[in-house]
Amino acid sequence: MSAVLFAAAAPFAKVQLPAVPAFIASYQSALALNDLMTAFLLFSQFVLLRSRALLWLASGYLFTAPAALLHTLVFPGLYSPTGLLGAGPQSAVWIYMIWHVGFPLFVLAYALHRRDRPTSVDAVAAPLLLAISGVAIGLAALIWTAIAYDTSLPALVSDGAATPALKVVVGAIWCVTSAALVVLAWRRPHTILDLWVMVVLCAWLFDLSLASLLNAARFDLGYYAGRIYGLLAASFVLGVLLADNVGLQARLTRLLQQQRRQNETERARFIARERLFSAVVESSSDAVITLTLHGKITSWNRAAEQLFGYGADEALGNDIGLIVPSERRCEVDGILERIGSGEKIEHHETVRRHKDGHEIEVSLSISPILDARGTVIGASKVARDITESKRTRSALTRETEERRRIFETSQDLILIADSYGQLMQVSPSSLAVLGYRPEEMAGRNASDFVYPPELEAVRSQMRDCRGGRDIRNFEAQLLHKEGRGVVLNWMASWSEPVQRHFFIGRDLTEKRAAEAQFRQAQKMEAVGHLTGGVAHDFNNILTVITGSIGILADAVAERPELASIAKLIDDSADRGAQLTRQLLAFARKQPLQPTDFDVNALMNETAALLRPTLGEHIEIERVLSTDPCTALADPNQLATSIVNLALNARDAMPQGGKLTLETANVALDQDYADANAEVVVGDYVMIAVSDTGCGIPPAYLEKVFDPFFSTKGVGKGTGLGLSMVFGFVKQSGGHIKIYSEVGHGTSIKLYLPRSAAAPTASTGQQAPDTTGGDETILIVEDDPLVRQHVVTQVVSLGYTTLAAANAAEALDVLERHPEIDLLFTDVIMPGAMNGRQLADAARVLRPSLRTLFTSGYTENAIVHHGRLDAGVLLLPKPYRKPELARMIRIALER
């Protein structure tokens, strides 16, 4: 339509018409009003739609409205010959050009920004203000330039006709308008507004062409036609905008109604949800409390009333400090500060206060409350009473800790296995019992540690256990890491809920060792009682035999056949006496006379005695300590023990070998004492007798110290040699250890208590003194045969002799015979008093009376802790006449 109208009007553009200046004022006022209204509508749409493109287009219309009015004011001949505001002859035409180039530029900006994203809500006011102020300032500057520099600007109109300069400026404006039209047409899709703006641009082009390019001067047909067409186009755009605005308002009304209905639905739904939420909160077993960020309580449910004791009317509006102990107020402030920053707190355990003052353990879950804009305005707190659960948890923790401690500190072996026998847990005691660390056993099958011959029995017990029967006191042997068996006494049970076997095994090694010690102690006690009972009577008999055989041997000295018989009887009596002494030594009943002596010196003396006894095929080596080795023991018994050990070593080396005698000062510590029963921690002198013989089989090692046990065969020994050594060492407070390996030899080590005192000087053995005397001796002996024999022997020595059968008779004789010089009494006697008690009573009557004891078995009368009492002289039975004569003289001369 624009093109047709332009084509129809173009040939007549230069037809001059009457000049009507009022047309300019009317036309441009109407155009300014149209553009102003259009700008207002576009600005309002910008506010609604937040489109930057609309802001540019609205600014363009805002630019054209005042530009049109200003052009009217400066138009020459309209209000004054040259125009108002001090305008010159060229000001009106330059303002017209500024007006017509400005609008296409704004439209070009609109076209380029049409696909931009909407501006944010907060950015509407500032861009709107900036656009209006920018248009005003820019337009004012341009108008002022056109007026102030009118004479300096090129002339566009001369004598009412267009100059070539005008043609150039209009051509430039026409190009800018065409560019805006092309860009707008190119950017799709188009809106209705886009289409009408393109119509306006076309009208703008036609207006410029008719009114400035094709016409001849002002007020010709082109001048009027172009302006009228521009006004009509602007009016159409305004109408479109008004229609679009009405449609937008209608659509907005529908949307508001729809939103209102939706809001009502949402409100109803919210009310229902609020009721449901309130019902849930009120029925909750946990206390639900809301409060402001300053700590003011804003809601309080029934559970909170029950938990803290305050009613809702008492709590609402109060500070949360109502239920917070004073010392925890800083904790609450810190929590509210964290909630204010948007943090959520879960399962915070703390303490709150009940109305009656007692404290409550609670677990808090606290969340921030947000308003519609997402700002934190308060806190929602859920409090749960955990007093009882915490008490239960503490009890459970304590019980678990106790069980863990029992598990970790138990000396018994504790195993937990699954239904397949796979070990799940192993107590740390496994290292002491089996030599394995717990992690070495866990994960492996229990059958890997069971002694193979007992595996089926163990599996049977496990099946019975799974059948519901608790197993108690069954013994099964496990394998130690070293390969040896360890016997344990087991208790087992099965837990169906956890599908686990539970085993507790007690190591029987120490128990069996203790039982073995107990049996050994019982055996020793039995042997002691047997030996003591036999020794007394047997030694009495041997005393008579050995004493009488000497007399008999002297009588038959001239008859060899009878002398040999007497010698045979004498040797047999000696063997009987030796046997009795060995039994007493093993039973630790012999009277010892311990002294502080030099063990090295004793070893040298004994080695010298052993050389002819052992033979040339046995090499004797002495490895003696360079430090002094002083022991507290009976040196005679030690020498006898070494001789016994040396003779055993000789028998173990029939083809010859080496006998090593060794001494050293040693200290036995607690670890050694733990591994060897009856050992007392302390300092000892070690005496070792080692050979290179055949060795002792392992099966015999535990029996070698038993009385009458021998590996030499019948007739080759009594089996009491090692027993006597064992008894002597133990009675001396020492320790004995045997090491042997078949085919390599044996080493027996004696540990005797070390003494810090200097060795006692040896007085030497006095030669038997068979000479008698003329003193008076009271002989007290309950056995009539022994008493008669002793009296005969003492009389033969020249002494005056008195006799008594018991203590009562002896005291009576002492009262009647003050001339008695020596009391010679047996120790063990029937009646109310033994020999020691008799001697004590006699010294009360006769303080200067000397005493000599004799006995075949002293029991505890004059021997205590294995040692002869200080100051006591003892003549052991059986004895011969020379020994009797010597001991009588020693007793009389003390």
Side-chain angles (χ1 to χ4, degrees):
M1 183 182 298
S2 297
V4 169
L5 292 175
F6 176 77
F12 307 100
K14 294 183 179 182
V15 176
Q16 191 68 33
L17 297 177
V20 183
F23 169 78
I24 301 299
S26 301
Y27 149 73
Q28 294 193 163
S29 297
L31 184 62
L33 182 60
N34 272 348
D35 288 347
L36 194 61
M37 292 176 63
T38 302
F40 174 78
L41 290 175
L42 288 173
F43 276 126
S44 65
Q45 286 201 5
F46 163 72
V47 173
L48 292 175
L49 301 178
R50 277 73 171 175
S51 171
R52 192 176 288 111
L54 285 175
L55 185 63
W56 282 107
L57 187 59
S59 300
Y61 276 98
L62 182 64
F63 178 84
T64 60
L69 290 177
L70 289 171
H71 180 262
T72 302
L73 294 175
V74 299
F75 196 85
L78 188 60
Y79 297 105
S80 67
T82 58
L84 300 178
L85 304 177
Q90 299 297 322
S91 296
V93 69
W94 272 109
I95 291 175
Y96 181 84
M97 295 303 151
I98 291 170
W99 163 24
H100 279 73
V101 78
F103 179 73
L105 289 174
F106 280 105
V107 172
L108 184 61
Y110 163 75
L112 293 174
H113 287 84
R114 201 173 61 78
R115 291 188 179 181
D116 289 351
R117 291 183 179 179
T119 306
S120 63
V121 174
D122 296 335
V124 169
L128 188 62
L129 181 62
L130 182 63
I132 295 171
S133 58
V135 169
I137 294 171
L139 182 61
L142 291 171
I143 297 302
W144 176 80
T145 301
I147 294 173
Y149 296 94
D150 176 73
T151 57
S152 301
L153 294 174
L156 299 180
V157 177
S158 178
D159 298 328
T163 67
L166 177 63
K167 305 296 182 181
V168 173
V169 172
V170 171
I173 296 173
W174 200 89
C175 290
V176 171
T177 306
S178 298
L181 179 62
V182 170
V183 172
L184 188 59
W186 182 262
R187 297 177 72 84
R188 296 174 183 271
H190 297 136
T191 64
I192 295 176
L193 181 61
D194 293 342
L195 297 176
W196 281 109
V197 170
M198 285 190 285
V199 169
V200 168
L201 289 176
C202 290
W204 204 264
L205 290 172
F206 301 154
D207 181 12
L208 284 173
S209 298
L210 289 172
S212 301
L213 290 178
L214 301 178
N215 69 329
R218 291 174 177 169
F219 301 112
D220 55 12
L221 179 64
Y223 186 82
Y224 285 112
R227 280 160 175 72
I228 293 172
Y229 185 76
L231 179 60
L232 292 175
S235 299
F236 272 110
V237 171
L238 178 59
V240 169
L241 285 174
L242 288 173
D244 190 49
N245 192 61
V246 170
L248 187 62
Q249 292 293 331
R251 223 169 81 199
L252 181 61
T253 302
R254 288 195 302 271
L255 287 174
L256 287 174
Q257 291 175 349
Q258 182 180 355
Q259 185 65 38
R260 189 178 297 110
R261 288 192 298 269
Q262 185 177 352
N263 288 344
E264 290 176 356
T265 304
E266 288 293 331
R267 187 181 298 109
R269 187 180 303 139
F270 175 78
I271 292 171
R273 189 172 61 182
E274 186 71 19
R275 289 174 181 171
L276 178 61
F277 174 75
S278 298
V280 170
V281 169
E282 289 301 319
S283 62
S284 173
S285 59
D286 294 333
V288 180
I289 305 168
T290 60
L291 56 156
T292 66
L293 293 179
H294 301 293
K296 296 297 181 182
I297 299 171
T298 56
S299 70
W300 185 270
N301 70 343
R302 290 195 187 95
E305 295 179 353
Q306 296 172 358
L307 179 59
F308 298 112
Y310 292 97
D313 54 338
E314 298 175 278
L316 292 176
N318 272 315
D319 189 82
I320 193 66
L322 185 71
I323 60 171
V324 177
S326 56
E327 68 274 9
R328 291 183 179 266
R329 181 65 206 198
C330 292
E331 172 193 311
V332 173
D333 294 339
I335 289 174
L336 290 175
E337 184 177 349
R338 291 166 61 188
I339 293 296
S341 64
E343 184 179 347
K344 188 175 182 180
I345 300 172
E346 296 282 353
H347 308 300
H348 173 71
E349 293 188 2
T350 184
V351 175
R352 292 295 179 259
R353 188 178 56 234
H354 192 272
K355 184 178 181 179
D356 61 14
H358 78 271
E359 292 188 340
I360 309 166
E361 303 257 2
V362 295
S363 174
L364 302 179
S365 294
I366 311 169
S367 302
I369 299 175
L370 309 177
D371 62 8
R373 293 177 296 175
T375 305
V376 179
I377 59 173
S380 173
K381 178 194 300 184
V382 178
R384 176 171 295 177
D385 185 0
I386 60 169
T387 305
E388 190 60 35
S389 63
K390 195 167 184 179
R391 188 181 297 115
T392 303
R393 188 169 63 213
S394 176
L396 180 60
T397 302
R398 184 170 58 252
E399 183 178 350
T400 303
E401 177 65 14
E402 289 171 354
R403 292 185 179 183
R404 187 179 68 84
R405 290 293 182 184
I406 292 172
F407 185 81
E408 290 181 350
T409 60
S410 173
Q411 294 183 355
D412 294 336
L413 179 61
I414 303 175
L415 306 177
I416 302 175
D418 63 13
S419 57
Y420 299 100
Q422 201 82 1
L423 294 175
M424 310 304 292
Q425 283 186 272
V426 180
S427 64
S429 57
S430 62
L431 184 61
V433 177
L434 298 179
Y436 291 97
R437 294 190 302 275
E439 57 269 22
E440 293 180 287
M441 298 181 67
R444 296 174 61 183
N445 199 280
S447 61
D448 295 344
F449 303 95
V450 179
Y451 187 57
E454 300 187 14
L455 185 56
E456 190 54 41
V458 171
R459 286 174 174 165
S460 176
Q461 295 284 7
M462 290 179 69
R463 286 192 293 269
D464 291 346
C465 194
R466 289 202 59 179
R469 184 168 67 90
D470 286 347
I471 307 299
R472 296 178 181 274
N473 298 323
F474 78 91
E475 292 186 5
Q477 193 170 183
L478 298 189
L479 289 172
H480 195 275
K481 192 174 185 179
E482 298 173 353
R484 57 183 172 86
V486 179
V487 180
L488 294 102
N489 182 272
W490 290 98
M491 295 178 62
S493 62
W494 166 259
S495 174
E496 190 65 31
V498 297
Q499 295 286 297
R500 291 287 185 269
H501 283 285
F502 294 86
F503 300 96
I504 300 177
R506 176 159 296 177
D507 187 359
L508 297 180
T509 304
E510 293 186 3
K511 179 182 177 184
R512 292 194 170 181
E515 290 175 349
Q517 283 185 344
F518 181 69
R519 286 194 298 271
Q520 179 69 12
Q522 284 184 317
K523 180 171 66 177
M524 294 290 294
E525 188 69 21
V527 171
H529 284 302
L530 175 64
T531 303
V534 171
H536 181 267
D537 293 335
F538 191 51
N539 281 331
N540 281 340
I541 296 172
L542 289 175
T543 299
V544 176
I545 293 174
T546 55
S548 302
I549 198 64
I551 299 171
L552 181 59
D554 292 340
V556 297
E558 302 298 329
R559 300 179 63 179
E561 71 279 6
L562 295 178
S564 62
I565 295 174
K567 181 68 168 63
L568 182 62
I569 296 172
D570 191 34
D571 291 342
S572 298
D574 279 342
R575 288 184 62 188
Q578 179 65 21
L579 182 62
T580 305
R581 282 194 296 272
Q582 288 178 330
L583 284 172
L584 286 172
F586 171 72
R588 311 178 202 178
K589 300 294 185 181
Q590 62 180 336
L592 299 179
Q593 300 185 51
T595 60
D596 301 309
F597 67 96
D598 185 352
V599 175
N600 286 338
L602 180 66
M603 293 295 284
N604 285 324
E605 294 173 5
T606 306
L609 293 174
L610 285 174
R611 187 166 298 282
T613 304
L614 299 182
E616 294 297 330
H617 65 296
I618 303 294
E619 177 188 353
I620 300 178
E621 181 182 7
R622 284 171 287 179
V623 183
L624 306 182
S625 172
T626 56
D627 297 328
C629 293
T630 304
L632 178 60
D634 190 325
N636 295 325
Q637 291 296 330
L638 176 59
T640 302
S641 297
I642 294 171
V643 170
N644 276 329
L645 296 177
L647 292 177
N648 282 344
R650 178 199 64 187
D651 295 340
M653 299 183 291
Q655 306 301 321
K658 179 188 288 187
L659 177 72
T660 303
L661 303 178
E662 183 181 358
T663 63
N665 291 318
V666 298
L668 300 183
D669 57 16
Q670 187 60 51
D671 291 339
Y672 188 88
D674 292 339
N676 297 271
E678 297 186 3
V679 172
V680 178
V681 175
D683 297 326
Y684 292 84
V685 176
M686 187 275 294
I687 303 103
V689 179
S690 307
D691 63 63
T692 58
C694 59
I696 303 172
Y700 295 158
L701 282 176
E702 294 183 359
K703 302 178 181 179
V704 293
F705 295 124
D706 290 351
F708 306 111
F709 176 80
S710 177
T711 60
K712 299 177 182 177
V714 179
K716 295 186 178 180
T718 62
L720 287 171
L722 286 178
S723 302
M724 183 273 292
V725 176
F726 179 84
F728 157 67
V729 173
K730 292 297 183 181
Q731 191 174 350
S732 300
H735 170 60
I736 185 168
K737 194 75 174 177
I738 184 168
Y739 305 89
S740 185
E741 187 174 351
V742 175
H744 291 82
T746 300
S747 178
I748 298 179
K749 295 184 177 180
L750 313 181
Y751 297 87
L752 296 177
R754 193 194 309 177
S755 173
T760 303
S762 176
T763 58
Q765 294 288 339
Q766 296 183 5
D769 187 359
T770 58
T771 60
D774 55 1
E775 290 89 351
T776 301
I777 299 174
L778 172 58
I779 299 170
V780 184
E781 174 61 59
D782 63 293
D783 190 308
L785 292 177
V786 179
R787 185 170 65 249
Q788 182 181 352
H789 167 72
V790 175
V791 169
T792 302
Q793 296 282 23
V794 174
V795 169
S796 69
L797 293 172
Y799 295 104
T800 301
T801 304
L802 299 172
N806 53 54
E809 292 182 13
L811 290 174
D812 184 60
V813 172
L814 283 170
E815 289 180 355
R816 288 185 287 106
H817 295 276
E819 72 277 10
I820 295 174
D821 299 298
L822 177 66
L823 174 64
F824 181 44
T825 178
D826 194 4
V827 175
I828 305 301
M829 294 186 298
M833 300 174 68
N834 59 27
R836 180 58 185 261
Q837 293 167 331
L838 170 62
D840 292 340
R843 273 195 294 271
V844 173
L845 295 175
R846 301 274 301 279
S848 61
L849 182 66
R850 296 172 178 84
T851 304
L852 173 62
F853 293 100
T854 184
S855 180
Y857 171 58
T858 62
E859 204 172 32
N860 293 321
I862 59 174
V863 176
H864 293 88
H865 306 294
R867 302 181 182 183
L868 197 64
D869 290 346
V872 172
L873 287 177
L874 175 66
L875 176 61
K877 294 178 182 179
Y879 51 81
R880 298 179 184 276
K881 184 177 179 180
E883 296 171 342
L884 174 63
R886 184 175 63 83
M887 290 303 296
I888 288 176
R889 292 313 312 165
I890 291 174
L892 287 170
E893 292 172 3
R894 288 184 67 175

